[in-house]
């Protein structure tokens, strides 16, 4: 298990996770949470070339805005929440539909009662980290 955490996370918690056998990667924090460039560079140095990121709207928005995602899997459930709920994808958003991220190689699969939509982001290209 690898846990990405901030350098300012409580030392006793970090020690407890290490005592349980987890490997901790400590990163600087940025305005959205962890510095994802630093985290992904660290993972690359460990020969980790693929990750599965399952998280809330903040994490997903940061990954997309940073150009760190090459594939998106979006599950849609036949449930309407309404109100002032949390967005599925956070971040800055776009001003118009013309500026929206478009997926290519889209596949749609029914997984009753849900639907899975998969696609590539097109703008992604591997980066070499120092």
């Amino acid at each position: 298990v690898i846990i990405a955490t901030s350098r300012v996370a409580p030392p006793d918690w970090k020690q407890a996770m290490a005592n349980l056998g987890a490997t901790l990667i400590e990163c600087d924090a940025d305005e959205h949470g962890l510095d994802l460039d630093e985290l992904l560079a660290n993972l690359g140095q460990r020969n980790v070339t693929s990750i599965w990121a399952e998280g809330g709207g903040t994490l997903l928005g940061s990954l997309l805005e940073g150009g760190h995602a090459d594939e998106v899997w979006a599950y849609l459930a036949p449930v309407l929440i309404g109100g002032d709920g949390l967005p599925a994808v956070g971040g800055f958003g776009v001003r118009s539909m013309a500026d929206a991220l478009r997926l290519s190689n889209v596949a749609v699969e029914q997984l009753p009662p849900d639907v899975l939509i998969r696609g590539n982001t097109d703008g992604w290209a591997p980066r070499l980290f120092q």
Side-chain angles (χ1 to χ4, degrees):
V1 173
I2 298 175
I3 299 174
T5 187
S6 165
R7 287 188 173 84
V8 298
D12 55 336
W13 175 83
K14 291 190 283 189
Q15 186 60 54
M17 294 300 102
N19 290 345
L20 291 171
T23 298
L24 272 69
I25 298 176
E26 296 183 59
C27 299
D28 288 332
D30 66 15
E31 66 274 8
H32 301 294
L34 293 182
D35 181 332
L36 295 180
D37 289 324
E38 181 181 0
L39 172 60
L40 294 174
N42 190 300
L43 289 170
Q45 291 167 356
R46 296 167 188 261
N47 294 316
V48 176
T49 60
S50 178
I51 64 169
W52 182 286
E54 182 178 359
T58 300
L59 173 61
L60 299 176
S62 293
L63 287 166
L64 291 168
E65 283 179 354
H68 301 304
D70 62 341
E71 187 174 4
V72 173
W73 290 39
Y75 289 89
L76 302 176
V79 177
L80 301 176
I81 298 172
D84 294 327
L86 297 174
V89 177
F92 297 117
V94 296
R95 292 189 176 268
S96 71
M97 288 301 291
D99 297 328
L101 175 66
R102 301 279 176 187
L103 300 178
S104 64
N105 304 318
V106 174
V108 178
E109 184 177 350
Q110 287 192 293
L111 303 168
D114 301 337
V115 175
L116 167 62
I117 301 172
R118 293 182 305 169
N120 298 101
T121 60
D122 276 350
W124 182 86
R127 291 190 264 174
L128 298 176
F129 292 102
Q130 301 289 342

